Amino acid sequence: MTPFAASFLIAMAVVLAVGQPFINYMRSKKTLQPISPDAPEKHRLKHGTPTMGGIVILGAVTVATLVALFLVKLDSAQKARILLVLGAFLGAGIVGVLDDRGKAAKKENRGGLSERVKLALQLIVAGGFVFGLTRVEQVGITTALNLFGWHVDLGVGYYGLAVLFVMGFSNAVNFADGLDGLA
């Protein structure tokens, strides 16, 4: 069995072992997902669904990633890159947990983090990730892009674009999960 298959199985085992008890605990604590009154009728079926289940996924991926780091022979730069990705994943997940916790505590969809606070936290996570990558890369990061055959050197703007890219994916996951639990 490859280390990657082993880490997948470890993550799956963690989710299967902890998932249902965690959902039951959240339900007993009345940590439920509020639904916006502006949501479509089909969306209201989620009313009363326990929230913050992503904590289980965050934990499972973290355990599996750390186990894989010990099973696979990697150099220090490769390990640092993996830890940076894990840190960005956990950072974005913590922002989501804080947002969901506020919503559940106030029992309203707008009770979580404000848009400004959420964006500021996402900026910190994405900025930290991009900054960390610039420190880990031994050969440096090129700031040039090849767009449809045109060579464009963005200079320091490349790093801003990278931060927006990470923030964009974070929000895309947030919207998909918020709409219908796809994430």
Side-chain angles (χ1 to χ4, degrees):
M1 176 181 305
T2 70
F4 301 106
S7 63
F8 171 79
L9 292 175
I10 289 168
M12 186 173 75
V14 169
V15 169
L16 290 174
V18 178
Q20 192 61 49
F22 182 80
I23 290 169
N24 293 341
Y25 173 77
M26 296 307 273
R27 186 174 280 132
S28 74
K29 294 293 182 185
K30 305 277 190 240
T31 309
L32 307 175
Q33 176 69 41
I35 303 300
S36 170
D38 301 327
E41 191 62 38
K42 183 180 175 187
H43 208 51
R44 295 172 202 252
L45 296 174
K46 283 178 60 176
H47 182 72
T49 302
T51 189
M52 293 193 283
I55 292 173
V56 174
I57 295 170
L58 289 170
V61 169
T62 300
V63 168
T65 300
L66 295 176
V67 167
L69 279 176
F70 289 108
L71 294 177
V72 179
K73 185 175 180 179
L74 301 169
D75 64 39
S76 61
Q78 290 170 319
K79 285 184 179 183
R81 282 187 216 105
I82 291 170
L83 290 173
L84 277 169
V85 171
L86 181 62
F89 175 71
L90 289 172
I94 289 168
V95 172
V97 167
L98 293 172
D99 188 42
D100 283 353
R101 196 180 89 191
K103 290 176 185 179
K106 295 178 183 173
K107 308 274 190 251
E108 64 178 71
N109 200 41
R110 296 212 181 265
L113 300 173
S114 73
E115 287 84 3
R116 287 182 183 193
V117 169
K118 197 182 311 183
L119 282 174
L121 292 172
Q122 290 172 345
L123 180 65
I124 291 168
V125 169
F129 173 71
V130 171
F131 179 77
L133 273 182
T134 65
R135 297 292 158 234
V136 168
E137 293 302 320
Q138 295 168 344
V139 294
I141 296 176
T142 180
T143 59
L145 297 175
N146 190 357
L147 300 171
F148 308 109
W150 294 348
H151 183 77
V152 180
D153 190 353
L154 299 173
V156 293
Y158 179 86
Y159 302 108
L161 185 63
V163 168
L164 287 175
F165 185 79
V166 173
M167 289 176 66
F169 270 101
S170 173
N171 277 298
V173 170
N174 184 31
F175 291 142
D177 189 48
L179 286 175
D180 52 15
L182 285 175

